Amino acid sequence: MPDTLTAIERRIYNYLVDYLKRETYQPSIREIGVRFGIRSTKTVTEHLQALQRKGYLDRTPSRSRALRILGLNLSPDTYTIPLYRNAQRELSDEEVEARYDLDRSLACSPDCFLVRVSGESMPDLGILEGDLILVEPRAELRTADLAVCECDGRVEVRRPAAVGSGDGSGARSSAAERNGGLSVRILGVARAVLRSLSHD
């Protein structure tokens, strides 16, 4: 499994993926530098070398646009979304169980991710244990949102008001709160539920 990326490596990687889907060829090293405010082409090259070393891309050093994203569906209509196996820990590349190619009309951002529900947190909405929840990371929750939370190691879907932030208006999703004696960490907003009907 590829090694964990730093924040800037992840941003550059996402940029490369989106650029390639949009243009069908890769940006030059100078274009990458301009995009991220990096004046030194040597620094950009070092970031690309790190991505290559960690198994995310392959490149030919002698050619400025010779980049190849490894193991990725490059359809312009989809995002490749990770499924994290353990939401109790920090969501990192080391915790990726699988990756799914989802249409952009469903996955609204390349930063979306999937987690597996623990328990029947909202059976009235048909959200059951084992379902995969597509999560959109968001800085604030609105009253109508469904919050995806990590509650002492369990992944639950709750109304913002049930998280412990009053009516849910403006609830900060980055904060860990105490709720009913449990440690609650909001992961983001539920965008969709994915469930396999196979009994294999």
Side-chain angles (χ1 to χ4, degrees):
M1 182 175 296
D3 293 336
T4 303
L5 299 181
T6 65
I8 184 62
E9 288 168 358
R10 170 61 63 186
R11 291 175 62 203
I12 290 175
Y13 175 77
N14 287 338
Y15 170 69
L16 293 176
V17 170
D18 286 343
Y19 191 102
L20 183 57
K21 288 184 176 182
R22 184 177 66 251
E23 305 291 348
T24 71
Y25 58 87
Q26 284 291 9
S28 67
I29 290 177
R30 191 170 300 279
E31 287 172 321
I32 297 171
V34 170
R35 171 63 178 80
F36 292 98
I38 303 173
R39 296 184 178 182
S40 170
T41 56
K42 181 176 182 293
T43 300
V44 175
T45 299
E46 289 172 350
H47 287 313
L48 295 177
Q49 288 172 340
L51 288 170
Q52 182 176 18
R53 186 173 63 254
K54 293 179 179 182
Y56 285 84
L57 58 83
D58 192 18
R59 60 187 295 269
T60 303
S62 60
R63 299 174 57 193
S64 64
R65 296 181 185 269
L67 300 174
R68 183 168 65 91
I69 306 295
L70 300 178
L72 184 68
N73 175 9
L74 293 175
S75 167
D77 300 321
T78 64
Y79 286 127
T80 299
I81 303 298
L83 165 63
Y84 292 106
R85 66 168 59 86
N86 190 346
Q88 187 172 9
R89 305 175 187 174
E90 182 179 354
L91 300 180
S92 67
D93 295 301
E94 295 176 348
E95 294 298 326
V96 174
E97 176 180 329
R99 297 182 187 274
Y100 295 84
D101 296 321
L102 300 181
D103 192 274
R104 292 190 181 206
S105 63
L106 187 64
C108 60
S109 162
D111 294 324
C112 287
F113 59 89
L114 292 160
V115 288
R116 187 172 282 107
V117 173
S118 306
E120 298 183 2
S121 56
M122 296 198 77
D124 56 317
L125 294 181
I127 301 175
L128 308 176
E129 182 171 12
D131 286 349
L132 301 184
I133 297 293
L134 179 64
V135 183
E136 175 194 353
R138 191 187 295 166
E140 293 189 355
L141 302 177
R142 296 186 290 267
T143 303
D145 289 331
L146 293 178
V148 182
C149 309
E150 183 264 313
C151 309
D152 284 355
R154 297 169 60 85
V155 174
E156 299 180 359
V157 180
R158 299 183 175 192
R159 299 287 184 189
V163 177
S165 301
D167 64 359
S169 178
R172 298 293 300 180
S173 65
S174 60
E177 304 182 33
R178 299 297 298 183
N179 181 269
L182 298 176
S183 175
V184 177
R185 180 167 61 102
I186 304 175
L187 303 176
V189 176
R191 294 279 301 184
V193 179
L194 283 70
R195 178 184 304 146
S196 173
L197 300 180
S198 172
H199 297 287
D200 296 341

